Each structure stands twice: as C-alpha cells, then as structure tokens.
Amino acid sequence: MRARHNPLKSSLLALAVIGALGSVSAHAGTVVDNANGYTLNAKGDLVQFSAIAFDDKGRIIAVGASADVIKGAPNAKRIDLKGRTLLPGLIDAHGHVFGLGQQLTQLDLFHSTSLQGALKSIGDYAKANSDHAWIRGRGWNQENWKLGRFPTAKELDAVVSDRPVWLDRVDSHAGWANSRALALAGITRSTPDPAGGKIVRDANGDATGVLVDAAQELMTKVLPQQTEAEGRVILNHALAEMARVGITSVHDAGVDVAQDKIYRAYADGGKLTARVYGMIAGTDQDFDQLSSKGPLKDYGNGMYALRAVKLYSDGALGSRGAALIKPYSDDPHSHGLLFHKSADMDKMMAKAMRKGYQVNVHAIGDAGNKQILDLYQKEVKATGTAGQRHRIEHAQVVQPTDIPRFKTLDIIPSMQPTHATSDKNMAETRVGPERIKGAYAWRSFLHQGSRIACGSDFPVESPNPFFGLHAAVTRQDAQGQPVAGWYANQAMSLKEAFRCFTLDAAYAGHQETTLGSLEPGKQADFIVIDQDLFRMPTYDIHKTGVLETWVAGKQVFRK
C-alpha cells in the first residue's frame, strides 16, 4: 500500500533567530513573517522558522521566530504569509533552458499516446502554421505508442509533404524526419553512419526517417539558424515557466556562444529571473572562444556563471544509444554507442580541466559510465583538479562495482529522479533483471556518502521540481504506479530528496555558501507553496502548487 502520510522521521528543529539583530534594523528592507518555513542548516538538519529578513540587495540578514525578527527590524516592509509554507528556492542541477523555451513555442508531442494521435497533431499544427518553412517539434516516444519500432518518414509524409519536418524524440537523442527533410540533408542509401550515430534503415538499406545521436547533426546542419531575437523570445518563455514551478536556479547543460551572449545581456539588464550556472557545450570552437579568459564564476551579481563544460559519453536508453558493456537484453545485436574513443574523450576532459573548468559528462549506459570513471581516475590526479567537483550527468545504469568509484574519486552523480518513473516501462526490458540493480540507484549512492545533485533534464522531463521530489521519495509515477514503488529499495527519504534539490545541487555548482538554504549571508531565493511539504501524504507531493517565487529578494512570480 502507498504511504498515506509523510514518512519523515527526523525531528524538526525550531530555528532560533540567526543574525546580528542589532544591525538588522539598519539593513533589513523586508521581513516575511507568519510563515510555515522550512530550511536545512549547515549541518543538513531540517529546521523550521516563521520569519525571514533580507536587505534591499536580496541578502538574508536574519531567520527565526516572527516576533524576534520583527522586533529586530521595526522599519522593514512586512509581508504576512498567514501561515503558508515557505521553502528555499529549488535548484535544477541539469536542465536545457533554451530547449525548454523551444518546447513551449513549438509542436508538443510529449503527451501523444499513439502514432495516429501524434500524426493528427502534426497535421493539425502544420495547417495552423502554414507560414512556417519547417515544422519543428519534440516529445515523441515510440515506447508510449507500443509500436515495437521507430516511426518512419513515409508516415510523416502522409500528413506533411509540402515542407520539411524535423521532430526531436523525448530524450533529444533521436529525431524523426519526413522525406523532404531527409532530401534537404542529403541523406541517401550511400550516406554512412557518422561516428557515434546511427541512420535507421530498412531491409534495403534506405533511411527510414529516424536519426540517432550524432546522426542528427546531418539534419541540424540544414536547419534554419535561430536569430538572437528568436533566442530572446525562447528564453523569456523558459524563465517564465521556471518561475511558475519554483525553480530559482538552474544548471544549463550545454551553453553555446549565442546563448552565452543572451545570458550576459539579460544579467546586465536585470532580466534573469532564475540564476543560471552554465556548462559550455563541448571543447571545440565555442569553448575556445568562451574560455579565453577562464571560468566565469560570478556575473551580474550572482545571476550567471559559466564555469563548467558538458561532454557526452553515450546516448540514451530509450533509443538504445546508451553504451552497454554487454548487449541490450531486447536487442542482442546492439551495445549502443560510445560517442568517442577513450583517447579522444581523454583529450577533451583534460583540456577543460587544465583550463580550470568543472567537467560534467553525460553517461547513461554502464559502458559509458565506466569509460568516464576510468578517465576521471587518470585525469583528476594528473591535472590536480579534484577541487573542481567534476560530475557524471545521469549516472543512470552503472555496474554495481563501479558505484563505489564515484565516492572514491569524489565524482558527483548528477541524477534526475523522474527519469526512473518515466523509464520504468522499458528500462528493465532494455537491460534485464541483473543490470537494473545498478540503475537509478539513488539509495546506493547515498548510502556510500555521495552527494546527489538532483534535476529534471527538462524539457526531456517536466521542469516541475515537485515531480522530481515525488519520484525520488515514492518511485511512483503521477498515477501512483506501481503501488509499492518501482524498485522502492532505491528510494530517498523526503529530507534527502529535498537536500538533493537544494544544498547538494548548490554544492554541485560551487554555490553552497550563497544558495541552497535560507541562512544569514545567503541569497533570499525562496518559494511559497500551497501545501505543507513535510506533513502532506507523500503520494500527493507532485500536486504541490507554487504561489510565489522570489529571487534575490524580488518576487518574480505570483499565482
């Protein structure tokens, strides 16, 4: 049976006023009181408070009981929360900000449950947008359609044949094109599979319309280039959505030169309503340009940083692109795809490390994770960069014998709880009953003392962090399935999950001294929600709604 009440067993601590109250009145611009507040302290204990005071620069001065905080700041503006719940702003440690904005402005196939339903949506969208030179969208998932195969260009041609169509799969590790798009990309029977990619073909060797991983670059080369004005519109949509769901900080997993330019302009103009911790996409030309002056640790009063690099070891499980040591259980002819030979990946990682960057590598399959752990074992010592807090993004299917290496090498597992509840319909089919024991293994990582940085990988998943908290604690989807939880032995406690989306996500971005909890000296990034997260039934966590979002002491969303 599902737990009806919150399983949090650790006692809540009352938080005495912290801060030099004698100086509060001189500096506090605002006091938020009568709150049902929760935060973690420096020791990781969950504590309660009822008031928070911060100055006009958005820096927290005092946290504690309402009467004491108000007494210390009699001239501050007072906001009465009337008992509503207040939490630190939630941090998404792995998202794709411009991808989220694109999803909100393009055709959305995330909720399609059949091929025919998807095709109808595509056709309807094309008719409603007759001025679009290309039809773009994302979110399709052939596993949800129960096809047992990928969709084809011919099926797309039946609903849109007059214009090229390019649709990203839900995980962005495959794309679906119609015949006109394939022709524009110059993809024929004689086109070879690129390194790290696959052109899906029929029995005759002809491209069927789906390009996996690096093969997608054949299509992206012919897509219309996004203008800066379009990029700004996309970013506006993404920022609004993040504020709506309570994200006050995000680690953007793949920033290019054009996006960096927009981020800096928004930071300069005070337009960023969420803090962005950027990872440069790769170590090629964009990296050379963006790293010319070294890591950008703080820009725009703490609103933007660019001090990490994002690399890819392999693809995704759903498209069978994740690299496995042994063949896929449901496809004995495939091991998936390692994107780079180890010698080449080694050079990229070392290049970024020696320039002072945190290295964050996407690795989903057990072969991908092993490759990167082996290279970290070599290069972290060689470059003397243990303090750069290198990460593996996803750490999704890991050999049980490799899990302890994360702790030994001090590598941060950056994981996305909703991946488990989204993938449960196919993950064990892909890897079998033994390998699944090392998959989505949050408890195994926490038990050994690893800090997990939690995120969503939006727009692959919803950006709503309460979906992630729910998945982490219950191992259930939004429908409460499976009732006992999917491999529930790997679930987190609520306090652990809360920490993964706050303090430990901040730590993974070198920001734990300014973000992740509500303590004096830190940033006044917080949210007000419509339920008491720590006293509600765990199976309802995903229903939590955000009423207000505040960043640096300024309200950026109100319901």
Side-chain angles (χ1 to χ4, degrees):
M1 293 180 64
R2 295 181 294 171
R4 290 195 58 81
H5 298 289
N6 198 294
L8 186 70
K9 294 181 179 180
S10 58
S11 59
L12 294 171
L13 304 177
L15 185 63
V17 172
I18 301 176
L21 288 181
S23 63
V24 172
S25 60
H27 300 289
T30 305
V31 170
V32 178
D33 72 321
N34 287 334
N36 176 38
Y38 295 93
T39 188
L40 295 166
N41 63 17
K43 296 180 180 179
D45 297 320
L46 185 66
V47 295
Q48 283 192 282
F49 62 92
S50 55
I52 179 171
F54 48 91
D55 63 23
D56 291 336
K57 294 183 179 180
R59 187 78 61 176
I60 298 172
I61 295 174
V63 182
S66 288
D68 293 331
V69 173
I70 292 171
K71 181 179 179 181
N75 299 319
K77 174 185 176 183
R78 180 183 169 192
I79 299 174
D80 186 349
L81 278 193
K82 300 178 180 179
R84 289 176 295 184
T85 297
L86 186 153
L87 304 174
L90 299 176
I91 302 170
D92 192 309
H94 186 114
H96 302 273
V97 176
F98 285 83
L100 175 61
Q102 287 176 330
Q103 176 202 327
L104 296 168
T105 56
Q106 295 179 351
L107 171 62
D108 183 351
L109 294 173
F110 280 83
H111 304 291
S112 61
T113 57
S114 69
L115 174 60
Q116 291 306 313
L119 291 172
K120 183 179 186 305
S121 295
I122 296 163
D124 291 346
Y125 181 88
K127 290 176 183 177
N129 295 276
S130 58
D131 59 327
H132 288 195
W134 281 71
I135 299 301
R136 298 289 309 279
R138 66 174 299 141
W140 61 272
N141 184 351
Q142 82 284 358
E143 293 296 325
N144 291 341
W145 300 342
K146 297 182 171 51
L147 284 180
R149 61 172 176 82
F150 282 121
T152 68
K154 290 181 179 178
E155 288 163 335
L156 266 184
D157 294 342
V159 291
V160 185
S161 60
D162 62 326
R163 286 166 285 168
V165 179
W166 178 243
L167 307 168
D168 292 299
R169 191 181 183 276
V170 60
D171 56 13
S172 296
H173 284 272
W176 177 22
N178 69 351
S179 296
R180 182 162 290 220
L182 291 175
L184 286 172
I187 297 172
T188 67
R189 182 186 298 190
S190 61
T191 304
D193 287 350
K198 179 181 180 181
I199 300 170
V200 178
R201 306 173 194 269
D202 62 20
N204 297 320
D206 292 316
T208 62
V210 169
L211 309 178
V212 179
D213 288 320
Q216 295 177 94
E217 295 174 11
L218 300 171
M219 188 63 63
T220 56
K221 289 177 181 178
V222 299
L223 290 173
Q225 291 296 305
Q226 185 182 98
T227 67
E228 183 175 339
E230 290 170 337
R232 287 172 176 260
V233 170
I234 285 169
L235 180 55
N236 290 342
H237 280 277
L239 290 171
E241 181 65 7
M242 287 190 288
R244 187 185 70 83
V245 298
I247 296 173
T248 57
S249 181
V250 60
H251 299 183
D252 192 339
V255 176
D256 61 27
V257 169
Q259 293 165 350
D260 172 74
K261 179 181 178 181
I262 297 174
Y263 277 142
R264 292 180 194 239
Y266 270 52
D268 289 337
K271 294 182 179 180
L272 279 180
T273 54
R275 302 179 193 276
V276 177
Y277 178 84
M279 311 177 201
I280 301 173
T283 56
D284 295 329
Q285 292 181 349
D286 279 11
F287 175 79
D288 292 338
Q289 181 174 337
L290 293 172
S291 67
S292 61
K293 296 181 180 179
L296 183 69
K297 297 181 179 180
D298 186 348
Y299 188 85
N301 296 317
M303 293 306 297
Y304 182 51
L306 191 67
R307 62 181 302 181
V309 168
K310 169 72 180 302
L311 301 173
Y312 285 86
S313 172
D314 63 352
L317 205 60
S319 52
R320 295 189 186 86
L324 301 181
I325 295 170
K326 295 181 180 179
Y328 276 81
S329 296
D330 60 350
D331 186 355
H333 302 292
S334 175
H335 286 257
L337 299 163
L338 278 175
F339 283 10
H340 306 282
K341 294 179 180 178
S342 289
D344 296 330
M345 177 62 81
D346 191 2
K347 292 178 182 177
M348 290 186 284
M349 293 171 67
K351 178 180 179 179
M353 289 176 181
R354 293 185 188 281
K355 289 281 285 186
Y357 288 84
Q358 177 191 58
V359 174
N360 303 339
V361 188
H362 163 120
I364 287 183
D366 54 10
N369 278 279
K370 185 179 187 305
Q371 180 195 50
I372 302 308
L373 287 168
D374 289 347
L375 294 175
Y376 276 137
Q377 185 168 334
K378 174 187 175 184
E379 289 298 347
V380 172
K381 183 177 181 180
T383 58
T385 59
Q388 287 164 214
R389 302 181 186 177
H390 305 299
R391 298 160 42 170
I392 288 184
E393 305 300 310
H394 310 308
Q396 202 160 301
V397 181
V398 184
Q399 287 188 115
T401 53
D402 276 336
I403 291 176
R405 299 177 69 196
F406 282 78
K407 180 62 176 175
T408 302
L409 298 172
D410 205 17
I411 302 302
I412 297 171
S414 172
M415 306 175 82
Q416 300 74 45
T418 48
H419 279 342
T421 51
S422 292
D423 292 356
K424 63 183 172 57
N425 65 329
M426 60 83 185
E428 189 166 351
T429 303
R430 292 282 192 272
V431 302
E434 286 302 313
R435 284 183 291 195
I436 200 68
K437 295 176 182 177
Y440 316 90
W442 316 321
R443 171 57 46 204
S444 298
F445 282 103
L446 291 172
H447 181 72
Q448 69 185 17
S450 290
R451 297 177 189 245
I452 298 177
C454 277
S456 65
D457 199 15
F458 66 69
V460 175
E461 304 282 356
S462 167
N464 190 327
F466 292 97
F467 291 4
L469 287 164
H470 173 263
V473 174
T474 67
R475 303 279 292 201
Q476 296 173 333
D477 60 25
Q479 289 71 47
Q481 297 299 315
V483 172
W486 187 66
Y487 288 93
N489 61 308
Q490 291 290 350
M492 300 185 197
S493 71
L494 180 55
K495 187 174 83 168
E496 289 168 339
F498 184 59
R499 179 173 179 134
C500 291
F501 277 98
T502 53
L503 270 180
D504 288 346
Y507 176 85
H510 298 272
Q511 296 170 323
E512 74 278 8
T513 61
T514 57
L515 306 178
S517 62
L518 298 174
E519 300 175 84
K522 288 193 171 186
Q523 295 287 345
D525 295 0
F526 60 90
I527 59 175
V528 181
I529 59 175
D530 62 1
Q531 302 186 68
D532 187 330
L533 179 66
F534 293 98
R535 288 191 169 90
M536 64 188 294
T538 56
Y539 55 77
D540 279 341
I541 289 174
H542 67 285
K543 298 178 182 178
T544 302
V546 175
L547 302 175
E548 300 177 21
T549 301
W550 293 67
V551 176
K554 296 179 180 178
Q555 189 179 79
V556 298
F557 170 78
R558 182 175 182 179
K559 187 174 180 179

